[in-house]
Amino acid sequence: MVDDPRARPVRAVRLRPVGDAAPELRYRVVHGYRRAYRMAGDGPALVLVHGIGDSSATWADLIPPLARTHTVIAPDLLGHGDSDKPRADYSVAAYANGVRDLLTTLGIESATLVGHSLGGGVAMQFAYQFPERTERLVLVGAGGVGREVNPVLRLVSLPGAHLMLSALRLPGMRLQVGLAVRLMKLLDTDLGQDAPDILNLVDALPDETSRNAFIRTLRAVVDWRGQVVTMLDRCYLTEGMPTMLLWGDRDSVVPVRHAHRAHEAMPGSRLEIFEGAGHFPFHTDPARFVSLVEEFTATTGPAHWSREHWRELLREGRPDGPRARAVERDLREASERSAT
């Protein structure tokens, strides 16, 4: 996909003053649907893709510091946040198309993609569908590496999920759930690390339209057995693509062993573990997160896509050897399908 980025000069970091507040939402209509996004800064493009049920607001504290060295774009994916929530295709591949189309309307031809959870799967799918527009990948607690996922998400994928999500908003339920969360934190469980952020996602589903979009998105990637899409079968295509994996070692949604599995499957990738952090390491330690992203983009050259190299990778397929056999084993165990 790329030549050796180490052979190119490293871009110098130039700090630009920006405001401390996260930028206000802006809107673009694409294919007849309103897409909300935040945009700030100047410099190489950096796209922040949130996870399921979340929105661009999850990046609020990180956008101003990242905007000192980058043009930061943080969309609300369709069906999320302030974007429209039609009865539509909420697959990973469709989200990758949506990110491409929004970037095109903004005049951005290529970018480094930072994806969290579902957004990590979207970022990886974007790189597969549009390698010529992908400069680097930063995958944060990304989905699509193995079947394992938090049992709560598996439960919500079942019939009747609408009723369960609606019940969480009944009077008194928030208090009971809050007590359970405090108990989990008191017992120092991994789920207790993530429960406050997960509850915030429930609060972001105030009406039936929002809940329907959430469930349609979830069922595109999770069923009662766990995650149903994989990126492992195509990870070899990231050869030469600067890639960094960021994970919390106490992630209760996507276990940290998936980070090591992805690292093994992605040639030349870099792995950074946030000790004591859960599924939202950029909330636990935003300063370290910003520092790592800035250092990563400053010390790696953007991927240089070549049609000939892409054809060669596809023809050769996954390489042989211990790493390839480990990927094959993981694929058999997961019995997942590709996103396209």
Side-chain angles (χ1 to χ4, degrees):
M1 189 184 302
V2 302
D3 53 12
D4 187 353
R6 292 171 295 185
R8 304 189 205 95
V10 173
R11 172 177 56 84
V13 175
R14 293 182 295 165
L15 297 181
R16 297 174 175 84
V18 295
D20 292 333
E24 296 294 323
L25 283 171
R26 306 183 192 183
Y27 301 92
R28 285 289 173 106
V29 175
V30 182
H31 309 313
Y33 300 121
R34 187 179 75 160
R35 315 279 180 135
Y37 67 98
R38 302 175 197 269
M39 189 170 179
D42 187 21
L46 186 71
V47 180
L48 308 178
V49 188
H50 63 76
I52 189 168
D54 215 338
S55 72
S56 59
T58 198
W59 308 107
D61 293 338
L62 290 90
I63 294 175
L66 289 172
R68 297 179 190 134
T69 51
H70 296 84
T71 297
V72 181
I73 306 98
D76 286 0
L77 296 175
L78 198 69
H80 294 72
D82 275 28
S83 289
D84 281 347
K85 300 169 179 64
R87 186 174 183 271
D89 181 1
Y90 290 129
S91 66
V92 172
Y95 278 132
N97 291 337
V99 172
R100 175 204 58 187
D101 293 344
L102 176 62
L103 294 181
T104 299
T105 68
L106 297 175
I108 295 171
E109 294 302 316
S110 64
T112 295
L113 273 80
V114 180
H116 172 238
S117 197
L118 170 74
V122 172
M124 186 68 186
Q125 184 69 18
F126 185 98
Y128 167 68
Q129 293 179 195
F130 316 113
E132 73 282 4
R133 303 188 68 164
T134 311
E135 297 181 355
R136 302 170 189 82
L137 285 172
V138 179
L139 306 179
V140 188
V145 181
R147 179 185 292 183
E148 299 159 290
V149 72
N150 190 282
V152 173
L153 293 178
R154 294 163 60 182
L155 181 64
V156 176
S157 73
L158 296 174
H162 297 79
L163 295 176
M164 182 173 64
L165 290 175
S166 298
L168 289 175
R169 302 192 65 83
L170 292 175
M173 281 298 295
R174 195 65 170 81
L175 175 61
Q176 295 181 40
V177 173
L179 290 173
V181 167
R182 283 194 288 273
L183 178 60
M184 286 187 288
K185 290 184 72 66
L186 187 64
L187 295 174
D188 196 31
T189 65
D190 289 351
L191 184 56
Q193 298 286 322
D194 290 320
D197 283 306
I198 293 173
L199 280 181
N200 287 336
L201 303 187
V202 174
D203 290 339
L205 305 173
D207 52 45
E208 185 176 358
T209 301
S210 300
R211 290 190 287 271
N212 285 340
F214 173 84
I215 291 170
R216 288 177 67 87
T217 304
L218 180 66
R219 288 176 177 169
V221 292
V222 172
D223 66 14
W224 65 273
R225 294 176 299 176
Q227 297 189 70
V228 296
V229 295
T230 186
M231 62 180 180
L232 287 179
D233 58 348
R234 301 173 191 187
C235 280
Y236 70 96
L237 294 171
T238 62
E239 179 185 334
M241 170 77 68
T243 302
M244 182 166 62
L245 305 163
L246 305 179
W247 234 274
D249 69 347
R250 301 193 64 184
D251 192 327
S252 69
V253 178
V254 181
V256 69
R257 54 183 162 271
H258 287 202
H260 297 282
R261 189 178 297 174
H263 181 48
E264 280 293 310
M266 304 179 83
S269 62
R270 171 179 172 182
L271 175 60
E272 296 284 346
I273 302 297
F274 284 61
E275 294 185 6
H279 191 53
F280 296 78
F282 53 95
H283 289 173
T284 304
D285 193 347
R288 182 185 176 200
F289 184 90
V290 169
S291 177
L292 283 170
V293 171
E294 289 183 332
E295 184 264 338
F296 177 64
T297 58
T299 58
T300 57
H304 179 67
W305 183 76
S306 158
R307 186 180 300 275
E308 292 73 21
H309 186 55
W310 184 258
R311 183 185 298 116
E312 181 182 342
L313 286 172
L314 286 170
R315 285 176 172 173
E316 291 181 356
R318 289 194 299 271
D320 294 326
R323 174 180 293 176
R325 287 193 290 273
V327 171
E328 291 285 356
R329 183 189 66 247
D330 291 337
L331 285 169
R332 287 196 302 271
E333 291 176 356
S335 65
E336 298 154 328
R337 57 179 170 81
S338 297
T340 59

